[in-house]
Amino acid sequence: MSGLFGVVSRQNCTKTLFYGTDYHAHLGTEVAGLAVLGDFFRHRIHSIADTQFKSRFAEDMGDMSGNAGIGVISDSNTQPFLVSSRVGDFAIVTSGLVNNKDNLAAEMRSEGQSFSEVARGRINPTELVAKMIASGKSIPDGIRKVFARIEGSVTMLLLTREGIYAARDAHGRSPLVVGSADGAMAVASESCAFTNLGFEVTGYLAPGEVARLTPGEVETVVEGRDECRICAFLWIYTGYPASSYEGISVEAARERCGGRLAERDTVEADLVAGVPDSGTAHAIGYAMHSGLPFRRPLVKYTPGYGRSYTPPSQDVRDLVAKMKLIPVRDVIKGQRIVLCEDSIVRGTQLKNLTMKKLWDNGAAEVHVRPACPPLMFHCPYVLSTRSEEELAARRAIRALEGKDIEDVSAYTEAGSREYAEMVEWIRRDLGATTLAYLELGDMIKAIGLPPEKLCTYCWTGRTSQP
Ligand code: SF4
């Protein structure tokens, strides 16, 4: 994943760029970059695998000044990419996945193009997109070409001498929000980047829309489409609680998810808790609806652990995850606990860390309530591919069927015998007293957009709603 931020102003905007980009730190742990345009383009790219964005880029701020800039925090490729081309000079940052990048690169190579960045044998997708744009008749034409050719999704910001071009992916899987403040315009993946920087949200780009931002103005240069498939998982897990997409608050949607879980529940319990941090708002919603007290049997110890810190090996990562979550024995002992979780991906951390800590500290019962249906398919649009085989639901199906099966549709239907058996297998594997997932229809209602506007592929395997 990646988070994007751009700002254009009549004054030096590097401070805004620095903090605006930093508000996307939850979307990437590997690499970050900034580009500014003053008399000429300047850019910096650093690894953030072992330190936070703020400390890594702090000393760059002194020699980066300009009235316009773009930034990115990413889990994948190095960017921004700088290009000098017939459509003009530009710097570009992208987010998304280009699933057919090898085919597109092969085609472009056969036409005489070459690529400068081939890290670990892989083409840099930002460079690929930059070259496709550069082969257009103009920047908007080049972006149109990208949207027409790529499989997956790409959202991007281009820094040019004519302003910042912001383009939201053709199906609107990821959001782009525009804001203004005192003649400056900004664009971001996360609207939470605006509030403390004094920007007011002025609008959300439509799917496929290309807008050009100049100081005090935003102009649509390619009209967007009505058809939208924004990622539903933003509201469940990946989005930041203080953000809104399509005008819908993440925190409020999570509270509604928790409320829907409570509405369906018949379990008797003493308290409700969330797995920190992303389960917290779901648990608050459950508590508000059920009347059960919201309490914290597990508290996250964040001092000393930068949120961007990604230890090099799985062993160390597991150790850090274990050390971060501290059980509060006085809250746990003898209690019947409803434990809200955003989702269950592999279920290994939930089982080996969270549940174990609750049981080891004397919990009487633990009722697990994920705020979405079982994840069944890897995301081909915005997330780095996670192996489908590792998903808890797939492991359950493999165990129940004795092999991997192609057609898992019966297991995606809440209410089917297969679904009940799969959930029971996962419950036993986790060691939970009970396990009940939020159903798809309830999740969609909690988000509050019409179902046909949401992508729910990772739960259903369908590219459109029935
Ligand atoms: S597949 Fe899932 S994670 Fe990917 S865009 Fe769709 S809803 Fe979001």
Side-chain angles (χ1 to χ4, degrees):
M1 295 194 74
S2 303
L4 311 180
F5 184 82
V7 57
V8 54
S9 169
R10 292 194 178 89
Q11 284 109 35
N12 183 14
C13 66
T14 41
K15 196 167 153 199
T16 304
L17 177 66
F18 178 72
Y19 286 105
T21 305
D22 185 52
Y23 276 121
H24 294 78
H26 57 290
L27 293 176
T29 55
E30 291 292 320
V31 64
L34 299 173
V36 294
L37 181 56
D39 297 336
F40 49 87
F41 287 89
R42 286 187 180 87
H43 80 303
R44 293 284 188 282
I45 300 170
H46 296 300
S47 162
I48 50 165
D50 57 3
T51 189
Q52 295 184 47
F53 172 87
K54 275 196 287 289
S55 17
R56 186 61 100 195
F57 283 80
E59 61 187 50
D60 292 324
M61 288 300 95
D63 57 1
M64 286 186 88
S65 76
N67 291 359
I70 54 174
V72 61
I73 294 190
S74 175
D75 259 341
S76 46
N77 50 308
T78 50
Q79 40 178 327
F81 212 86
L82 262 56
V83 174
S84 182
S85 75
R86 66 177 178 180
V87 298
D89 298 343
F90 63 88
I92 178 171
V93 290
T94 65
S95 75
L97 287 178
V98 184
N99 296 318
N100 59 337
K101 68 178 189 303
D102 291 339
N103 291 345
L104 290 170
E107 194 183 300
M108 289 162 74
R109 270 194 298 253
S110 74
E111 289 162 0
Q113 297 255 25
S114 49
F115 292 88
S116 60
E117 278 232 354
V118 187
R120 285 172 276 167
R122 293 198 293 258
I123 294 285
N124 181 331
T126 306
E127 181 180 11
L128 179 89
V129 169
K131 293 210 157 144
M132 289 175 80
I133 293 170
S135 69
K137 293 189 190 79
S138 62
I139 284 177
D141 178 60
I143 296 173
R144 262 198 226 102
K145 260 175 123 169
V146 172
F147 286 165
R149 294 295 316 278
I150 64 129
E151 290 164 16
S153 88
V154 170
T155 288
M156 64 189 104
L157 303 179
L158 276 79
L159 176 64
T160 75
R161 296 189 197 286
E162 297 79 50
I164 291 175
Y165 287 89
R168 183 176 175 192
D169 69 275
H171 299 280
R173 311 257 179 211
S174 48
L176 269 185
V177 55
V178 176
S180 71
D182 297 332
M185 299 300 296
V187 57
S189 302
E190 294 281 10
S191 64
C192 68
F194 288 169
T195 320
N196 290 340
L197 293 171
F199 284 81
E200 289 288 336
V201 171
T202 57
Y204 299 84
L205 261 66
E209 180 178 349
V210 183
R212 189 165 63 99
L213 278 67
T214 49
E217 241 183 279
V218 54
E219 174 201 3
T220 296
V221 293
V222 176
E223 289 293 335
R225 305 158 5 126
D226 283 341
E227 192 208 319
C228 180
R229 292 273 183 277
I230 186 168
C231 171
F233 209 39
L234 285 164
W235 283 278
I236 303 304
Y237 171 62
T238 48
Y240 204 72
S243 282
S244 297
Y245 317 110
E246 312 297 315
I248 298 175
S249 153
V250 173
E251 181 78 356
R254 288 181 186 169
E255 287 177 1
R256 288 193 293 271
C257 285
R260 295 238 161 216
L261 278 166
E263 212 174 295
R264 300 265 184 198
D265 224 340
T266 53
V267 77
E268 292 199 354
D270 301 308
L271 64 96
V272 55
V275 178
D277 290 320
S278 47
T280 302
H282 300 298
I284 290 170
Y286 190 110
M288 281 157 56
H289 196 277
S290 65
L292 284 176
F294 170 77
R295 299 192 71 190
R296 297 197 299 162
L298 299 160
V299 179
K300 203 165 172 183
Y301 191 80
T302 44
Y305 293 104
R307 66 171 299 123
S308 296
Y309 175 57
T310 308
S313 74
Q314 187 61 47
D315 284 356
V316 184
R317 278 201 291 275
D318 288 347
L319 180 67
V320 169
K322 180 181 171 204
M323 302 308 274
K324 262 189 182 178
L325 222 52
I326 306 176
V328 184
R329 194 175 177 78
D330 288 347
V331 176
I332 299 170
K333 196 165 170 29
Q335 299 294 291
R336 297 169 299 169
I337 300 169
V338 172
L339 185 69
C340 291
E341 168 72 307
D342 50 80
S343 59
I344 298 177
V345 184
R346 290 182 303 164
T348 40
Q349 284 205 355
L350 182 61
K351 172 182 170 175
N352 298 334
L353 303 180
T354 317
M355 303 290 293
K356 186 171 183 318
K357 285 177 191 197
L358 295 176
W359 291 128
D360 288 353
N361 285 280
E365 296 173 4
V366 183
H367 304 276
V368 177
R369 299 293 181 264
C372 66
L375 288 162
M376 197 69 80
F377 301 89
H378 74 76
C379 169
Y381 305 115
V382 294
L383 297 177
S384 309
T385 302
R386 187 182 289 279
S387 145
E388 227 160 67
E389 300 84 65
E390 289 178 18
L391 297 173
R394 291 292 184 150
R395 287 192 292 114
I397 295 170
R398 196 178 310 127
L400 292 165
E401 298 278 346
K403 60 178 180 184
D404 286 315
I405 57 167
E406 284 268 303
D407 181 6
V408 293
S409 51
Y411 288 96
T412 63
E413 297 302 326
S416 71
R417 174 183 55 79
E418 289 85 348
Y419 179 89
E421 286 174 359
M422 174 186 70
V423 172
E424 173 57 13
W425 189 96
I426 300 170
R427 181 199 69 75
R428 269 191 279 113
D429 186 56
L430 290 174
T433 311
T434 66
L435 169 64
Y437 287 84
L438 187 62
E439 291 182 13
L440 187 70
D442 282 345
M443 181 189 83
I444 291 171
K445 278 191 198 122
I447 292 170
L449 276 178
E452 65 277 9
K453 295 227 174 257
L454 285 168
C455 175
T456 54
Y457 177 87
C458 48
W459 297 285
T460 64
R462 290 191 293 263
T463 49
S464 58
Q465 294 298 326

